[in-house]
Amino acid sequence: MTIPGWPEVFRGTAALAAGLVTPDLLRGPRFRRLLPDTYAPADAHADLRLRSLAAYLWAGPDAVLCGYSAAEVLGASCAPRAAPAEVAVTAVRAGPRSRDGVVVRRDVLDPDEVTGVRGVRVTTRLRTAFDLARWSGPTEGVVAVDALSRGSFAPDVLLNLAARHTHARGVRRVVDALVWADPRAGSPPETRLRLVLVRGGLPRPVPQHPVLDDARRTALWLDLAYPDHRLGIEYDGGGHFATPEAARADAGRHTRLVAAGWRVLRYTALDMHRRPDEIVAEVGQVLDHSRRDAGQRAVEIDRSR
């Protein structure tokens, strides 16, 4: 006999009924209780995905994972740190209530706004983007739309849902998010860095821009780029230097970009948090220098004719 979620996350009563565990074993060191009657192996990392699956089982048969939980299960991770699990239920009065670590939402979901992922009901990528755009702040809403639309749908399609759910709370935020969204973004930090630049008054950079390496017959991809100025902007999450091999590969990549005539500026999450104005000033200064140099070259060419 099998039970939903076993052995990753499961209802204790179901596991007991199936003879998979005993009461003493369930209370012992091998398992941890995530929610009432909802357990996981003690050594399992209680990340958002695991906590979301636990919330799905705990909330009952009518539950649908939504918001950041749906994004996680759909493979479009974009949640801020310590985000709670989110689950939608159709019952207005009955059913579970929000509790520590779990947000229970009561909302209208049309049949075409729900899909299944390995036996778990979740809101579709489109509905999840719509919800997160209207529930989140002006930056994280764009981050969510970028992450969920990547390789899936054009962000403007969200206007159809906005028209369908005109009275939904926060629907105006969806329209605002579309002004800044770009499905080419490679990751949530790259979206946040792009927003620092464009909201600071700089031109829109090109996300995931390829720089051809003819000698190696490959391409070097820049997180953000101003191709006309041969300027790349990259998010440095620390993984570049995680191992000596990674550090050497990153140094070689940077050398090839410089050899191709590119200048690359790199910023961390701490930079974006503490000094966004300085980032805008630094990038703007490089762009201004590039424009002046281009203008000077144009004058020199004109004089030589």
Side-chain angles (χ1 to χ4, degrees):
M1 179 178 179
T2 60
I3 63 170
W6 177 270
E8 184 178 21
V9 60
F10 57 92
R11 297 300 297 263
T13 50
L16 288 169
L20 296 173
V21 296
T22 65
D24 288 342
L25 188 63
L26 195 59
R27 290 192 296 265
R30 287 184 55 185
F31 299 101
R32 75 164 75 175
R33 180 177 178 271
L34 299 176
L35 289 166
D37 193 34
T38 310
Y39 296 82
D43 59 354
H45 179 47
D47 56 11
L48 179 58
R49 178 181 175 277
L50 188 73
R51 292 185 286 110
S52 298
L53 295 177
Y56 177 77
L57 289 177
W58 164 77
D62 293 330
V64 178
L65 287 182
C66 62
Y68 286 124
S69 288
E72 193 74 18
V73 172
L74 288 165
S77 301
C78 56
R81 287 185 179 181
E86 295 180 88
V87 60
V89 294
T90 56
V92 176
R93 295 180 181 176
R97 303 291 178 182
S98 295
R99 55 178 293 132
D100 187 30
V102 182
V103 173
V104 177
R105 301 186 183 275
R106 285 167 171 79
D107 215 337
V108 175
L109 294 174
D110 291 338
D112 63 346
E113 296 170 355
V114 178
T115 188
V117 178
R118 293 185 292 277
V120 176
R121 298 197 327 144
V122 303
T123 50
T124 62
R125 295 178 78 96
L126 194 64
R127 174 63 196 237
T128 304
F130 173 75
D131 286 339
L132 286 174
R134 65 193 181 94
W135 294 340
S136 307
T139 292
E140 293 309 310
V142 178
V143 168
V145 173
D146 279 5
L148 285 151
S149 64
R150 187 182 311 126
S152 181
F153 61 86
D156 285 351
V157 176
L158 289 175
L159 293 174
N160 296 335
L161 276 190
R164 178 189 291 186
H165 300 286
T166 54
H167 299 296
R169 178 175 59 86
V171 71
R172 178 64 200 178
R173 295 179 183 174
V174 178
V175 180
D176 293 339
L178 295 181
V179 174
W180 307 100
D182 193 321
R184 296 174 295 176
S187 70
E190 292 173 28
T191 295
R192 296 184 185 105
L193 181 53
R194 187 183 81 244
L195 292 177
V196 167
L197 299 176
V198 296
R199 287 176 174 166
L202 296 178
R204 287 189 179 230
V206 178
Q208 293 299 306
H209 178 72
V211 177
L212 299 182
D213 185 343
D214 293 332
R216 296 174 181 244
R217 295 185 178 182
T218 187
L220 304 170
W221 294 85
L222 289 164
D223 295 344
L224 301 166
Y226 292 99
D228 292 343
H229 304 274
R230 288 187 174 269
L231 173 62
I233 315 295
E234 299 227 282
Y235 169 72
D236 188 350
H240 301 279
F241 310 105
T243 65
E245 292 78 11
R248 284 193 293 270
D250 191 67
R253 175 178 177 277
H254 184 80
T255 298
R256 295 198 298 277
L257 286 167
V258 172
W262 284 77
R263 180 173 180 178
V264 180
L265 302 179
R266 298 168 72 160
Y267 298 104
T268 66
L270 192 61
D271 292 328
M272 288 188 276
H273 177 69
R274 290 187 175 179
R275 58 185 198 95
D277 292 342
E278 292 180 31
I279 294 175
V280 172
E282 290 165 359
V283 174
Q285 186 177 46
V286 174
L287 293 177
D288 288 342
H289 287 166
S290 175
R291 293 187 191 99
R292 286 197 295 268
D293 291 344
Q296 183 62 37
R297 286 193 297 271
V299 169
E300 292 173 356
I301 292 172
D302 187 61
R303 288 176 177 172
S304 66
R305 289 177 178 171

